Amino acid sequence: MVAYVNILKLCVGADSVEDLVDWQESQRHRWPKGCAVHVTRMWPKREAEVLAGGSLYWVIKGVILARQRIVGLEKIDGADGVQRCALVLDAEVIRTEGAARRPFQGWRYLDPAESPRDLPKGREREDALPPELAQALAEIGLR
């Protein structure tokens, strides 16, 4: 059995999970039914692990706040002739516990053991912890 790995990506331009959901809803007509698509330049070298159950975790304003299951990878040719990777995502945006992250470019692999937990049903609308507090809790092993 192949263990899975997640992908971590900054959600540029969004101030909240609601912004992400609203933008994806406005683009839904362009994507396969029940899916969302995020195009990135680099193809994951750990493709089999990503497709074995991985999710795309979204960093919004310096804090991981949501994830979407990755259901496929597709090659896309950009208008500039550069080949890119389309991460095909389940349309459901799952809110997670907040976990602070410093800015980075592109995307990173995220080990499942280091991934924030999903928020329990009924807590999806709770505000995230301030990034400094979330970071301090993570450093002492309390997320």
Side-chain angles (χ1 to χ4, degrees):
M1 183 174 134
V2 177
Y4 73 94
V5 68
N6 298 308
I7 290 181
L8 182 65
K9 180 88 175 77
L10 299 181
C11 191
V12 178
D15 291 328
S16 66
V17 175
E18 290 75 20
D19 285 348
L20 170 65
V21 170
D22 290 346
W23 184 83
Q24 286 187 356
E25 189 59 40
S26 76
Q27 302 301 306
R28 197 101 32 231
H29 66 280
R30 299 173 46 207
W31 301 328
K33 187 171 178 68
C35 294
V37 176
H38 180 76
V39 178
T40 185
R41 185 158 184 160
M42 302 303 292
W43 191 274
K45 288 182 172 70
R46 297 171 66 181
E47 175 180 0
E49 292 171 271
V50 169
L51 295 175
S55 290
L56 176 62
Y57 279 77
W58 292 108
V59 178
I60 300 172
K61 294 292 190 186
V63 181
I64 300 173
L65 293 175
R67 73 176 179 91
Q68 289 176 277
R69 278 187 325 102
I70 299 171
V71 297
L73 303 174
E74 295 180 4
K75 292 181 181 176
I76 302 279
D77 291 321
D80 57 3
V82 175
Q83 196 168 70
R84 292 178 168 80
C85 176
L87 302 172
V88 182
L89 310 169
D90 186 286
E92 181 183 14
V93 176
I94 301 164
R95 293 168 190 271
T96 66
E97 293 178 338
R101 284 295 188 273
R102 288 197 165 99
F104 57 90
Q105 291 192 353
W107 52 263
R108 302 283 183 264
Y109 291 113
L110 179 63
D111 187 282
E114 297 174 13
S115 301
R117 294 177 291 229
D118 295 349
L119 284 179
K121 297 291 181 203
R123 289 186 50 201
E124 297 91 348
R125 297 279 178 206
E126 286 184 9
D127 291 333
L129 293 174
E132 301 82 19
L133 180 56
Q135 183 65 36
L137 291 173
E139 288 173 4
I140 62 171
L142 302 172
R143 291 192 252 170

